[in-house]
Short mmCIF file of all heavy atoms in Angstrom, two decimals:
data_model
loop_
_atom_site.label_atom_id
_atom_site.label_comp_id
_atom_site.label_asym_id
_atom_site.label_seq_id
_atom_site.Cartn_x
_atom_site.Cartn_y
_atom_site.Cartn_z
N MET M 1 137.10 74.06 76.25
CA MET M 1 138.16 74.46 77.19
C MET M 1 139.32 75.05 76.40
O MET M 1 139.86 74.40 75.50
CB MET M 1 138.62 73.22 77.96
CG MET M 1 139.64 73.56 79.04
SD MET M 1 140.00 72.11 80.03
CE MET M 1 141.66 72.55 80.57
N PRO M 2 139.67 76.27 76.68
CA PRO M 2 140.73 76.89 75.88
C PRO M 2 142.09 76.28 76.18
O PRO M 2 142.35 75.83 77.30
CB PRO M 2 140.69 78.36 76.32
CG PRO M 2 140.10 78.33 77.69
CD PRO M 2 139.18 77.15 77.72
N GLY M 3 142.93 76.27 75.17
CA GLY M 3 144.29 75.80 75.39
C GLY M 3 145.15 76.97 75.82
O GLY M 3 145.01 78.05 75.28
N PHE M 4 146.02 76.74 76.76
CA PHE M 4 146.93 77.80 77.16
C PHE M 4 148.28 77.57 76.52
O PHE M 4 148.62 76.46 76.10
CB PHE M 4 147.04 77.89 78.68
CG PHE M 4 145.77 78.39 79.30
CD1 PHE M 4 144.91 77.52 79.95
CD2 PHE M 4 145.44 79.73 79.21
CE1 PHE M 4 143.72 77.99 80.51
CE2 PHE M 4 144.26 80.20 79.76
CZ PHE M 4 143.40 79.33 80.41
N PHE M 5 149.03 78.62 76.46
CA PHE M 5 150.21 78.67 75.64
C PHE M 5 151.29 79.41 76.44
O PHE M 5 150.99 80.43 77.07
CB PHE M 5 149.83 79.42 74.36
CG PHE M 5 150.92 79.63 73.40
CD1 PHE M 5 151.46 78.54 72.74
CD2 PHE M 5 151.39 80.90 73.11
CE1 PHE M 5 152.47 78.73 71.82
CE2 PHE M 5 152.39 81.09 72.20
CZ PHE M 5 152.93 80.00 71.54
N VAL M 6 152.48 78.89 76.45
CA VAL M 6 153.55 79.45 77.29
C VAL M 6 154.56 80.22 76.45
O VAL M 6 155.04 79.73 75.44
CB VAL M 6 154.28 78.32 78.05
CG1 VAL M 6 155.40 78.89 78.91
CG2 VAL M 6 153.32 77.51 78.88
N ILE M 7 154.87 81.43 76.87
CA ILE M 7 156.01 82.15 76.33
C ILE M 7 156.86 82.59 77.51
O ILE M 7 156.39 83.32 78.37
CB ILE M 7 155.61 83.42 75.55
CG1 ILE M 7 154.62 83.09 74.43
CG2 ILE M 7 156.85 84.09 74.97
CD1 ILE M 7 154.15 84.31 73.67
N GLY M 8 158.07 82.13 77.56
CA GLY M 8 158.92 82.46 78.71
C GLY M 8 158.24 81.99 79.98
O GLY M 8 157.88 80.82 80.10
N ASP M 9 158.03 82.90 80.91
CA ASP M 9 157.37 82.48 82.15
C ASP M 9 155.91 82.92 82.19
O ASP M 9 155.28 82.86 83.24
CB ASP M 9 158.14 82.97 83.38
CG ASP M 9 158.41 84.46 83.34
OD1 ASP M 9 157.84 85.14 82.47
OD2 ASP M 9 159.19 84.93 84.19
N GLU M 10 155.40 83.37 81.05
CA GLU M 10 153.98 83.68 81.00
C GLU M 10 153.24 82.48 80.43
O GLU M 10 153.48 82.07 79.30
CB GLU M 10 153.74 84.90 80.10
CG GLU M 10 154.32 86.18 80.68
CD GLU M 10 154.03 87.39 79.81
OE1 GLU M 10 153.43 87.23 78.74
OE2 GLU M 10 154.43 88.49 80.22
N SER M 11 152.37 81.90 81.19
CA SER M 11 151.74 80.66 80.78
C SER M 11 150.25 80.80 80.54
O SER M 11 149.54 79.82 80.48
CB SER M 11 151.99 79.58 81.83
OG SER M 11 151.51 80.02 83.07
N THR M 12 149.78 82.03 80.42
CA THR M 12 148.34 82.20 80.29
C THR M 12 147.94 82.82 78.96
O THR M 12 146.88 83.42 78.84
CB THR M 12 147.79 83.05 81.45
OG1 THR M 12 148.56 84.23 81.57
CG2 THR M 12 147.84 82.27 82.74
N HIS M 13 148.79 82.68 77.96
CA HIS M 13 148.36 83.07 76.62
C HIS M 13 147.34 82.04 76.14
O HIS M 13 147.48 80.85 76.42
CB HIS M 13 149.55 83.12 75.66
CG HIS M 13 150.47 84.27 75.96
ND1 HIS M 13 150.37 85.48 75.35
CD2 HIS M 13 151.48 84.36 76.85
CE1 HIS M 13 151.30 86.29 75.84
NE2 HIS M 13 151.99 85.64 76.76
N VAL M 14 146.35 82.52 75.41
CA VAL M 14 145.26 81.64 75.00
C VAL M 14 145.39 81.32 73.52
O VAL M 14 145.39 82.21 72.67
CB VAL M 14 143.89 82.29 75.28
CG1 VAL M 14 142.77 81.31 74.94
CG2 VAL M 14 143.81 82.73 76.74
N VAL M 15 145.52 80.03 73.22
CA VAL M 15 145.67 79.57 71.85
C VAL M 15 144.47 79.97 71.01
O VAL M 15 143.32 79.81 71.44
CB VAL M 15 145.85 78.04 71.81
CG1 VAL M 15 145.82 77.53 70.36
CG2 VAL M 15 147.16 77.64 72.48
N ALA M 16 144.75 80.53 69.84
CA ALA M 16 143.72 80.87 68.85
C ALA M 16 142.77 81.97 69.32
O ALA M 16 141.73 82.18 68.72
CB ALA M 16 142.93 79.64 68.43
N ASP M 17 143.15 82.68 70.37
CA ASP M 17 142.34 83.80 70.82
C ASP M 17 142.95 85.09 70.30
O ASP M 17 144.00 85.53 70.76
CB ASP M 17 142.28 83.83 72.35
CG ASP M 17 141.33 84.91 72.87
OD1 ASP M 17 140.88 85.75 72.06
OD2 ASP M 17 141.07 84.91 74.08
N ALA M 18 142.29 85.71 69.34
CA ALA M 18 142.81 86.94 68.72
C ALA M 18 142.81 88.10 69.71
O ALA M 18 143.38 89.15 69.44
CB ALA M 18 142.02 87.30 67.48
N ARG M 19 142.15 87.92 70.83
CA ARG M 19 142.16 88.97 71.86
C ARG M 19 142.77 88.42 73.14
O ARG M 19 142.31 88.72 74.25
CB ARG M 19 140.73 89.46 72.10
CG ARG M 19 140.10 89.96 70.79
CD ARG M 19 138.64 90.29 70.96
NE ARG M 19 138.47 91.52 71.75
CZ ARG M 19 137.30 92.04 72.06
NH1 ARG M 19 136.20 91.42 71.70
NH2 ARG M 19 137.21 93.15 72.75
N CYS M 20 143.80 87.63 72.95
CA CYS M 20 144.52 87.05 74.09
C CYS M 20 144.80 88.11 75.15
O CYS M 20 145.40 89.13 74.87
CB CYS M 20 145.83 86.46 73.58
SG CYS M 20 146.88 85.85 74.89
N PRO M 21 144.35 87.88 76.38
CA PRO M 21 144.48 88.90 77.41
C PRO M 21 145.91 89.09 77.92
O PRO M 21 146.21 90.10 78.56
CB PRO M 21 143.58 88.38 78.53
CG PRO M 21 143.53 86.91 78.33
CD PRO M 21 143.63 86.70 76.85
N GLU M 22 146.78 88.12 77.64
CA GLU M 22 148.12 88.19 78.20
C GLU M 22 149.11 88.87 77.27
O GLU M 22 150.21 89.23 77.67
CB GLU M 22 148.58 86.76 78.53
CG GLU M 22 149.81 86.68 79.41
CD GLU M 22 149.57 87.19 80.83
OE1 GLU M 22 148.40 87.26 81.24
OE2 GLU M 22 150.56 87.51 81.50
N CYS M 23 148.72 89.02 76.00
CA CYS M 23 149.64 89.59 75.02
C CYS M 23 149.87 91.08 75.20
O CYS M 23 149.03 91.78 75.75
CB CYS M 23 149.09 89.35 73.61
SG CYS M 23 149.56 87.76 72.95
N LEU M 24 151.01 91.52 74.67
CA LEU M 24 151.29 92.94 74.61
C LEU M 24 150.30 93.62 73.67
O LEU M 24 149.66 92.97 72.85
CB LEU M 24 152.70 93.18 74.06
CG LEU M 24 153.86 92.62 74.88
CD1 LEU M 24 155.16 92.97 74.18
CD2 LEU M 24 153.84 93.19 76.28
N GLU M 25 150.23 94.92 73.73
CA GLU M 25 149.39 95.67 72.81
C GLU M 25 149.80 95.35 71.38
O GLU M 25 150.98 95.19 71.10
CB GLU M 25 149.57 97.18 73.04
CG GLU M 25 148.71 97.70 74.17
CD GLU M 25 148.88 99.21 74.32
OE1 GLU M 25 148.77 99.91 73.30
OE2 GLU M 25 149.15 99.64 75.44
N GLU M 26 148.82 95.31 70.52
CA GLU M 26 149.00 95.03 69.09
C GLU M 26 149.25 93.54 68.81
O GLU M 26 149.46 93.17 67.67
CB GLU M 26 150.12 95.88 68.47
CG GLU M 26 149.80 97.36 68.61
CD GLU M 26 150.81 98.26 67.89
OE1 GLU M 26 151.54 97.75 67.01
OE2 GLU M 26 150.84 99.45 68.20
N TYR M 27 149.27 92.73 69.82
CA TYR M 27 149.35 91.28 69.62
C TYR M 27 148.07 90.66 70.16
O TYR M 27 147.40 91.27 70.97
CB TYR M 27 150.57 90.71 70.36
CG TYR M 27 151.88 91.05 69.70
CD1 TYR M 27 152.52 92.24 70.00
CD2 TYR M 27 152.45 90.19 68.77
CE1 TYR M 27 153.72 92.56 69.39
CE2 TYR M 27 153.64 90.50 68.16
CZ TYR M 27 154.28 91.69 68.46
OH TYR M 27 155.46 92.01 67.85
N PRO M 28 147.74 89.43 69.76
CA PRO M 28 148.47 88.61 68.79
C PRO M 28 148.34 89.15 67.36
O PRO M 28 147.38 89.82 67.02
CB PRO M 28 147.76 87.25 68.87
CG PRO M 28 146.88 87.31 70.06
CD PRO M 28 146.59 88.75 70.30
N LYS M 29 149.36 88.83 66.57
CA LYS M 29 149.33 89.15 65.15
C LYS M 29 149.17 87.85 64.38
O LYS M 29 149.53 86.79 64.88
CB LYS M 29 150.66 89.80 64.74
CG LYS M 29 150.87 91.18 65.33
CD LYS M 29 152.20 91.74 64.88
CE LYS M 29 152.39 93.15 65.42
NZ LYS M 29 153.74 93.68 65.08
N THR M 30 148.68 87.98 63.17
CA THR M 30 148.52 86.78 62.35
C THR M 30 149.88 86.31 61.87
O THR M 30 150.68 87.08 61.36
CB THR M 30 147.63 87.08 61.14
OG1 THR M 30 146.39 87.60 61.62
CG2 THR M 30 147.35 85.81 60.36
N CYS M 31 150.14 85.02 62.04
CA CYS M 31 151.39 84.43 61.57
C CYS M 31 151.24 83.99 60.12
O CYS M 31 150.12 83.80 59.63
CB CYS M 31 151.73 83.23 62.45
SG CYS M 31 153.22 82.36 61.96
N LEU M 32 152.36 83.80 59.45
CA LEU M 32 152.33 83.32 58.07
C LEU M 32 151.64 81.98 57.95
O LEU M 32 151.06 81.65 56.91
CB LEU M 32 153.77 83.18 57.54
CG LEU M 32 154.56 84.48 57.36
CD1 LEU M 32 155.95 84.14 56.88
CD2 LEU M 32 153.86 85.41 56.40
N CYS M 33 151.67 81.18 58.99
CA CYS M 33 151.08 79.84 58.92
C CYS M 33 149.57 79.87 59.17
O CYS M 33 148.91 78.85 59.08
CB CYS M 33 151.74 78.93 59.95
SG CYS M 33 151.22 79.26 61.65
N GLY M 34 149.05 81.05 59.51
CA GLY M 34 147.64 81.15 59.80
C GLY M 34 147.33 81.10 61.28
O GLY M 34 146.20 81.31 61.70
N GLY M 35 148.33 80.81 62.08
CA GLY M 35 148.17 80.83 63.53
C GLY M 35 148.29 82.26 64.05
O GLY M 35 148.26 83.22 63.28
N LEU M 36 148.41 82.39 65.34
CA LEU M 36 148.54 83.70 65.95
C LEU M 36 149.89 83.84 66.63
O LEU M 36 150.32 82.95 67.37
CB LEU M 36 147.43 83.92 66.98
CG LEU M 36 146.02 84.11 66.40
CD1 LEU M 36 145.01 84.13 67.54
CD2 LEU M 36 145.93 85.38 65.58
N MET M 37 150.53 84.97 66.36
CA MET M 37 151.82 85.28 66.97
C MET M 37 151.57 86.02 68.27
O MET M 37 151.06 87.14 68.28
CB MET M 37 152.60 86.15 65.98
CG MET M 37 154.00 86.47 66.40
SD MET M 37 155.10 85.03 66.35
CE MET M 37 155.26 84.74 64.57
N HIS M 38 151.92 85.39 69.37
CA HIS M 38 151.74 86.02 70.68
C HIS M 38 153.03 86.70 71.11
O HIS M 38 154.10 86.31 70.69
CB HIS M 38 151.38 84.97 71.74
CG HIS M 38 150.04 84.35 71.52
ND1 HIS M 38 148.97 84.56 72.35
CD2 HIS M 38 149.61 83.50 70.55
CE1 HIS M 38 147.93 83.87 71.90
NE2 HIS M 38 148.29 83.21 70.80
N ALA M 39 152.90 87.68 71.97
CA ALA M 39 154.08 88.38 72.45
C ALA M 39 154.02 88.57 73.96
O ALA M 39 153.01 89.02 74.50
CB ALA M 39 154.21 89.73 71.78
N ALA M 40 155.11 88.24 74.61
CA ALA M 40 155.25 88.48 76.04
C ALA M 40 156.27 89.60 76.22
O ALA M 40 157.14 89.80 75.37
CB ALA M 40 155.75 87.22 76.74
N SER M 41 156.16 90.31 77.30
CA SER M 41 157.15 91.35 77.57
C SER M 41 158.51 90.70 77.70
O SER M 41 158.74 89.89 78.59
CB SER M 41 156.78 92.09 78.85
OG SER M 41 156.35 91.18 79.83
N GLY M 42 159.41 91.03 76.77
CA GLY M 42 160.69 90.34 76.71
C GLY M 42 161.67 90.86 77.74
O GLY M 42 161.61 92.01 78.16
N GLU M 43 162.58 90.00 78.11
CA GLU M 43 163.68 90.45 78.95
C GLU M 43 164.77 90.98 78.03
O GLU M 43 165.04 90.41 76.99
CB GLU M 43 164.25 89.26 79.74
CG GLU M 43 163.26 88.73 80.76
CD GLU M 43 163.72 87.39 81.31
OE1 GLU M 43 164.94 87.15 81.30
OE2 GLU M 43 162.86 86.60 81.72
N ALA M 44 165.39 92.04 78.45
CA ALA M 44 166.49 92.58 77.66
C ALA M 44 167.62 91.55 77.61
O ALA M 44 167.96 90.94 78.63
CB ALA M 44 166.98 93.87 78.28
N ASP M 45 168.20 91.34 76.45
CA ASP M 45 169.33 90.42 76.37
C ASP M 45 170.62 91.16 76.71
O ASP M 45 170.60 92.33 77.07
CB ASP M 45 169.37 89.73 75.02
CG ASP M 45 169.62 90.70 73.88
OD1 ASP M 45 170.17 91.79 74.13
OD2 ASP M 45 169.27 90.35 72.74
N GLU M 46 171.75 90.48 76.58
CA GLU M 46 173.02 91.09 76.98
C GLU M 46 173.32 92.35 76.19
O GLU M 46 173.94 93.28 76.69
CB GLU M 46 174.18 90.10 76.78
CG GLU M 46 174.03 88.82 77.59
CD GLU M 46 173.94 87.60 76.68
OE1 GLU M 46 174.69 87.56 75.69
OE2 GLU M 46 173.12 86.70 76.96
N GLY M 47 172.90 92.39 74.94
CA GLY M 47 173.15 93.55 74.11
C GLY M 47 172.24 94.73 74.46
O GLY M 47 172.39 95.80 73.89
N GLY M 48 171.31 94.51 75.34
CA GLY M 48 170.43 95.58 75.74
C GLY M 48 169.19 95.69 74.87
O GLY M 48 168.33 96.53 75.11
N ALA M 49 169.09 94.85 73.84
CA ALA M 49 167.90 94.90 73.00
C ALA M 49 166.70 94.42 73.80
O ALA M 49 166.82 93.53 74.62
CB ALA M 49 168.10 94.01 71.78
N ASP M 50 165.59 95.04 73.57
CA ASP M 50 164.41 94.69 74.34
C ASP M 50 163.32 94.18 73.42
O ASP M 50 162.23 94.73 73.33
CB ASP M 50 163.95 95.91 75.14
CG ASP M 50 162.90 95.53 76.19
OD1 ASP M 50 162.84 94.34 76.55
OD2 ASP M 50 162.16 96.41 76.62
N TRP M 51 163.63 93.11 72.70
CA TRP M 51 162.64 92.49 71.83
C TRP M 51 161.56 91.84 72.66
O TRP M 51 161.86 91.18 73.66
CB TRP M 51 163.31 91.38 71.01
CG TRP M 51 163.98 91.88 69.79
CD1 TRP M 51 165.34 92.08 69.63
CD2 TRP M 51 163.39 92.23 68.54
NE1 TRP M 51 165.58 92.54 68.37
CE2 TRP M 51 164.41 92.64 67.68
CE3 TRP M 51 162.07 92.25 68.09
CZ2 TRP M 51 164.16 93.07 66.38
CZ3 TRP M 51 161.83 92.67 66.80
CH2 TRP M 51 162.86 93.07 65.95
N PRO M 52 160.34 91.98 72.24
CA PRO M 52 159.34 91.14 72.90
C PRO M 52 159.60 89.68 72.53
O PRO M 52 160.08 89.40 71.44
CB PRO M 52 158.01 91.62 72.31
CG PRO M 52 158.35 92.32 71.05
CD PRO M 52 159.77 92.81 71.17
N ALA M 53 159.34 88.80 73.45
CA ALA M 53 159.44 87.37 73.15
C ALA M 53 158.16 86.99 72.42
O ALA M 53 157.08 87.11 72.96
CB ALA M 53 159.58 86.58 74.44
N THR M 54 158.32 86.54 71.20
CA THR M 54 157.14 86.22 70.40
C THR M 54 157.13 84.73 70.06
O THR M 54 158.17 84.12 69.91
CB THR M 54 157.13 87.02 69.08
OG1 THR M 54 158.39 86.85 68.44
CG2 THR M 54 156.87 88.48 69.34
N ARG M 55 155.95 84.18 69.94
CA ARG M 55 155.85 82.78 69.54
C ARG M 55 154.47 82.52 68.95
O ARG M 55 153.46 82.98 69.47
CB ARG M 55 156.09 81.85 70.71
CG ARG M 55 156.41 80.43 70.29
CD ARG M 55 157.41 79.79 71.23
NE ARG M 55 156.84 79.40 72.50
CZ ARG M 55 156.39 78.17 72.76
NH1 ARG M 55 156.47 77.23 71.87
NH2 ARG M 55 155.91 77.88 73.93
N CYS M 56 154.50 81.79 67.82
CA CYS M 56 153.24 81.44 67.17
C CYS M 56 152.59 80.27 67.91
O CYS M 56 153.27 79.34 68.33
CB CYS M 56 153.53 81.05 65.72
SG CYS M 56 152.07 80.42 64.88
N ASP M 57 151.27 80.33 68.05
CA ASP M 57 150.58 79.25 68.78
C ASP M 57 150.34 78.03 67.90
O ASP M 57 149.83 77.02 68.38
CB ASP M 57 149.31 79.76 69.44
CG ASP M 57 148.26 80.27 68.46
OD1 ASP M 57 148.38 80.01 67.25
OD2 ASP M 57 147.31 80.93 68.92
N GLN M 58 150.69 78.12 66.61
CA GLN M 58 150.56 76.93 65.76
C GLN M 58 151.90 76.35 65.35
O GLN M 58 152.15 75.17 65.52
CB GLN M 58 149.74 77.26 64.50
CG GLN M 58 148.25 77.30 64.80
CD GLN M 58 147.42 77.17 63.52
OE1 GLN M 58 147.89 76.69 62.50
NE2 GLN M 58 146.18 77.59 63.61
N CYS M 59 152.76 77.20 64.77
CA CYS M 59 154.03 76.65 64.27
C CYS M 59 155.16 76.80 65.27
O CYS M 59 156.21 76.19 65.10
CB CYS M 59 154.39 77.29 62.93
SG CYS M 59 154.81 79.04 63.07
N GLY M 60 154.97 77.61 66.30
CA GLY M 60 155.97 77.72 67.35
C GLY M 60 157.16 78.60 67.01
O GLY M 60 158.10 78.70 67.79
N ARG M 61 157.13 79.26 65.86
CA ARG M 61 158.24 80.12 65.49
C ARG M 61 158.08 81.49 66.13
O ARG M 61 156.97 81.91 66.47
CB ARG M 61 158.30 80.28 63.97
CG ARG M 61 158.74 79.01 63.28
CD ARG M 61 158.77 79.19 61.78
NE ARG M 61 157.41 79.32 61.26
CZ ARG M 61 157.12 79.27 59.96
NH1 ARG M 61 158.07 79.10 59.06
NH2 ARG M 61 155.88 79.38 59.55
N SER M 62 159.20 82.20 66.29
CA SER M 62 159.15 83.57 66.76
C SER M 62 159.10 84.50 65.55
O SER M 62 159.39 84.10 64.43
CB SER M 62 160.38 83.90 67.59
OG SER M 62 161.52 83.91 66.76
N GLU M 63 158.77 85.75 65.82
CA GLU M 63 158.73 86.71 64.72
C GLU M 63 160.09 86.86 64.07
O GLU M 63 160.20 87.01 62.86
CB GLU M 63 158.28 88.09 65.25
CG GLU M 63 156.89 88.43 64.80
CD GLU M 63 156.45 89.81 65.25
OE1 GLU M 63 157.15 90.47 66.04
OE2 GLU M 63 155.36 90.20 64.80
N GLU M 64 161.14 86.84 64.85
CA GLU M 64 162.48 86.97 64.29
C GLU M 64 162.79 85.82 63.33
O GLU M 64 163.45 86.00 62.34
CB GLU M 64 163.53 86.99 65.40
CG GLU M 64 163.45 88.21 66.31
CD GLU M 64 162.58 87.97 67.54
OE1 GLU M 64 161.33 88.06 67.42
OE2 GLU M 64 163.13 87.66 68.59
N GLU M 65 162.31 84.64 63.64
CA GLU M 65 162.57 83.49 62.76
C GLU M 65 161.87 83.64 61.42
O GLU M 65 162.29 83.05 60.43
CB GLU M 65 162.10 82.20 63.43
CG GLU M 65 163.02 81.72 64.54
CD GLU M 65 162.45 80.48 65.20
OE1 GLU M 65 162.74 79.39 64.71
OE2 GLU M 65 161.71 80.62 66.18
N LEU M 66 160.79 84.39 61.39
CA LEU M 66 160.04 84.53 60.16
C LEU M 66 160.60 85.62 59.26
O LEU M 66 160.28 85.69 58.08
CB LEU M 66 158.58 84.84 60.47
CG LEU M 66 157.83 83.70 61.15
CD1 LEU M 66 156.47 84.18 61.62
CD2 LEU M 66 157.66 82.53 60.21
N HIS M 67 161.45 86.47 59.81
CA HIS M 67 161.98 87.58 59.02
C HIS M 67 163.21 87.17 58.24
O HIS M 67 163.84 86.18 58.54
CB HIS M 67 162.28 88.78 59.90
CG HIS M 67 161.06 89.46 60.38
ND1 HIS M 67 161.03 90.32 61.44
CD2 HIS M 67 159.78 89.37 59.94
CE1 HIS M 67 159.80 90.76 61.63
NE2 HIS M 67 159.01 90.19 60.75
ZN1 ZN H 101 148.99 85.85 73.88
ZN1 ZN H 102 152.96 80.29 62.76
#
């Protein structure tokens, strides 16, 4: 039974699935920890930046946290 993974209000990302159906194009990416970095269509923040909301399915960090 696959584990599901939540980013923002998207709750159907699939843990450890390199072809996660819910991710944006080009995701999931491999995380530094060996897990997969998933991406949900991000909401624009107050500054107008439109970063995708990213989160690793193993360590829970976002891509921004890793940079
Ligand atoms: Zn995903
Ligand atoms: Zn990670």
Side-chain angles (χ1 to χ4, degrees):
M1 185 174 154
F4 290 104
F5 178 68
V6 180
I7 304 178
D9 53 10
E10 293 182 358
S11 57
T12 50
H13 290 266
V14 184
V15 172
D17 185 350
R19 303 173 72 181
C20 175
E22 193 67 19
C23 274
L24 297 181
E25 277 183 50
E26 300 185 18
Y27 287 87
K29 292 180 177 176
T30 305
C31 178
L32 293 178
C33 75
L36 289 173
M37 185 70 70
H38 293 248
S41 42
E43 293 168 26
D45 64 23
E46 300 118 41
D50 192 21
W51 276 102
T54 51
R55 197 145 75 95
C56 174
D57 63 14
Q58 281 199 20
C59 68
R61 290 179 291 191
S62 68
E63 252 183 352
E64 294 92 279
E65 285 177 88
L66 294 171
H67 288 162

